[in-house]
């Protein structure tokens, strides 16, 4: 399901981090409050310096005598929670502060002496980064799922159904009548009226409303239809990006009247978005896989297909198929792409893992020849694994001494010394781009 906004994290995420040892004194039923950042202030009135959405941290230095007014001001400024650090000023959280937070509905956390404020700020930063990564991952997975749906026999219905399943939404595509729907039994008149307004307009537009506990948004599709989506929480930026992908695919699906297939068959399609997939069944127990295309030829243990989106090679491997995927090609170049995929499949079989165009030139090199090249070049370093690790990291860091030192956990002078030893042992000039390239491929092929 969707991950929410990346600009905030729930207060409960911080409370549940055992290393912080935060105690919830008030607001235990409000741990879903969104925290934008942790801010430290010992001012009697920090409100002018707040933006809203903060977890405000204080140790009670210069604490105001009007505690109720202090808490009331924080709530009005949009502070989401207050963290009070006990010692050195107070041995316990003041009772009047607890009472004021209860009165005004502000969550109050107690920080033990062993938890510095900086640790809380860092925890918020880490949680925000984790939330952002999770959201980007979900966006990528959602795009792939919607693209696969658009390649099914009934693409419009498949895209609408997949969109609803991605985030526990309901979706309905409306024209003069209901074209497709998912996650909803009947179309509410409010939804129909919203779609009607959008169909009557022109230019880029959207509309939103609320329907009971549902947040509802509507967008026109290029074909003159309207896609309406309902969610139990406000739509995030990422949610809207996923819906935008669905809108684009629906527009394409509506135009898919066979013309593109005809152009491809007669060689008039100039698109360079086709790829050839070659595959080999790893065992008799391998299951069938869905590559999202009807252009598939399976002959015993061999597979060949023409696709418009790269398949999930990891999922295919789990299903018992080892795949190789060519670079993008035009229709007229498909025979060359097929030969490329064939060479890549040979390498995939040799190394026991899928190979795609992202593997670069390595995917096209004979595995035995690559191994011989790597062995010959790296032979002087065979007994010095620390040198191999150092030069591999140094090349990956584009020759940056400081970054390499950080990655290896050593001093930058140690990195310089080791790289100097590598250059002498291999008798190569590491300032030469070609020699660096040779060394990089040798290291890759030696893994």
């Amino acid at each position: 399901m969707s991950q929410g906004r990346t600009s905030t994290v729930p207060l409960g995420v911080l409370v549940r981090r055992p290393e912080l040892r935060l105690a919830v004194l008030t607001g235990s039923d409000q741990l879903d409050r969104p925290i934008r950042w942790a801010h430290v202030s010992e001012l009697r009135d920090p409100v002018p310096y707040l933006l809203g959405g903060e977890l405000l941290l204080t140790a009670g230095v210069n604490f105001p005598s009007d505690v109720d007014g202090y808490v009331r001001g924080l709530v009005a400024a949009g502070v989401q929670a207050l963290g009070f650090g006990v010692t050195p000023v107070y041995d316990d959280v003041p009772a009047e502060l607890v009472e004021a937070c209860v009165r005004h509905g502000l969550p109050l956390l107690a920080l033990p002496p062993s938890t510095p404020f900086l640790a809380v700020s860092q925890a918020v930063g880490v949680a925000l980064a984790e939330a952002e990564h999770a959201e980007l991952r979900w966006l990528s997975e959602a795009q792939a799922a919607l693209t696969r749906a658009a390649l099914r026999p009934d693409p419009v219905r498949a895209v609408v159904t997949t969109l609803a399943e991605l985030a526990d939404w309901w979706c309905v595509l409306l024209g003069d009548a209901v074209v497709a729907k998912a996650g909803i039994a009947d179309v509410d008149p409010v939804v129909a009226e919203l779609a009607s307004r959008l169909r009557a307009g022109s230019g880029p537009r959207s509309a939103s409303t609320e329907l009971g506990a549902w947040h509802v948004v509507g967008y026109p599709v290029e074909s003159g239809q309207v896609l309406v989506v309902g969610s139990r929480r406000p739509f995030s930026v990422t949610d809207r990006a996923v819906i935008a992908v669905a809108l684009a695919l629906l527009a394409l699906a509506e135009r898919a009247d066979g013309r593109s297939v005809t152009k491809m068959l007669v060689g008039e399609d100039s698109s360079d978005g086709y790829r050839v997939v070659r595959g080999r069944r790893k065992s008799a127990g391998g299951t069938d896989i869905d590559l999202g295309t009807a252009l598939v030829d399976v002959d015993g243990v061999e597979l060949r297909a023409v696709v418009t989106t790269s398949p999930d090679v990891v999922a295919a491997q789990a299903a018992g198929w080892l795949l190789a995927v060519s670079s993008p090609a035009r229709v007229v170049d498909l025979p060359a792409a097929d030969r490329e995929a064939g060479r890549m499949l040979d390498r995939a079989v040799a190394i026991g893992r899928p190979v795609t165009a992202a593997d670069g030139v390595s995917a096209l090199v004979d595995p035995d020849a690559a191994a011989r090249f790597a062995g010959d070049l790296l032979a002087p370093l065979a007994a010095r694994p620390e040198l191999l690790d150092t030069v591999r990291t140094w090349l990956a860091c584009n020759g940056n001494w400081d970054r390499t030192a950080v990655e290896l956990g050593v001093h930058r002078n140690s990195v310089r010394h080791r790289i100097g030893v590598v250059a002498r042992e291999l008798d190569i000039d590491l300032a030469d781009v070609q020699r660096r390239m040779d060394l990089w491929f040798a290291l890759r092929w030696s893994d």
Side-chain angles (χ1 to χ4, degrees), residues 108-133:
L108 175 62
L109 311 178
L111 281 69
S114 59
T115 301
F117 288 174
L118 180 59
V120 178
S121 297
Q122 289 177 334
V124 174
V126 169
L128 286 168
E130 290 173 346
E132 181 178 359
H133 293 159

Side-chain angles (χ1 to χ4, degrees), residues 2-10 34-36 127-128 131-132 135 233-240:
S2 174
Q3 304 294 324
R5 298 180 185 275
T6 59
S7 58
T8 62
V9 293
I35 302 300
R36 189 180 306 279
L128 286 168
E132 181 178 359
E135 188 137 317
R233 64 168 188 77
F235 290 93
S236 71
V237 174
T238 307
D239 294 336
R240 294 179 185 274

Side-chain angles (χ1 to χ4, degrees), residues 14 54 100 126 161 185 216 220 222 257 289-290 319 389 417 427 438:
L14 304 176
E54 296 93 350
V126 169
T161 300
V216 181
E222 210 172 278
D257 56 4
I289 55 174
D290 181 10
D389 289 342
H417 172 72
D427 191 24
D438 291 341

Side-chain angles (χ1 to χ4, degrees), residues 234-366:
F235 290 93
S236 71
V237 174
T238 307
D239 294 336
R240 294 179 185 274
V242 170
I243 295 173
V245 173
L247 290 168
L249 291 171
L250 287 171
L252 290 173
E254 286 296 314
R255 295 202 301 265
D257 56 4
R259 285 177 295 171
S260 59
V261 176
T262 301
K263 287 184 177 181
M264 187 178 76
L265 292 175
V266 299
E268 293 181 359
D269 192 339
S270 60
S271 170
D272 60 356
Y274 297 100
R275 299 173 188 266
V276 174
V277 178
R278 296 287 293 268
R280 184 166 300 170
R281 195 188 296 266
K282 298 194 296 181
S283 63
T287 60
D288 292 337
I289 55 174
D290 181 10
L291 296 178
T293 178
L295 304 177
V296 181
D297 176 27
V298 180
D299 183 11
V301 298
E302 298 288 331
L303 173 151
R304 182 184 313 192
V306 176
V307 299
T308 54
T309 57
S310 294
D312 188 335
V313 295
V314 175
Q317 189 172 23
W321 285 91
L322 195 59
L323 300 185
V325 186
S326 77
S327 306
R330 298 176 302 164
V331 170
V332 294
D333 296 323
L334 284 176
D338 181 48
R339 292 191 294 272
E340 177 191 12
R343 292 191 297 270
M344 295 165 73
L345 181 60
D346 289 339
R347 178 163 182 81
V349 172
I351 63 178
R353 64 171 177 80
V355 174
T356 68
D359 292 302
V361 70
S362 294
L364 306 176
V365 178
D366 176 73

Side-chain angles (χ1 to χ4, degrees), residues 174 191-201 226:
L174 292 160
V191 173
E193 194 275 332
L194 180 145
S196 177
R197 284 197 327 234
L198 284 172
R199 293 184 69 203
V226 172

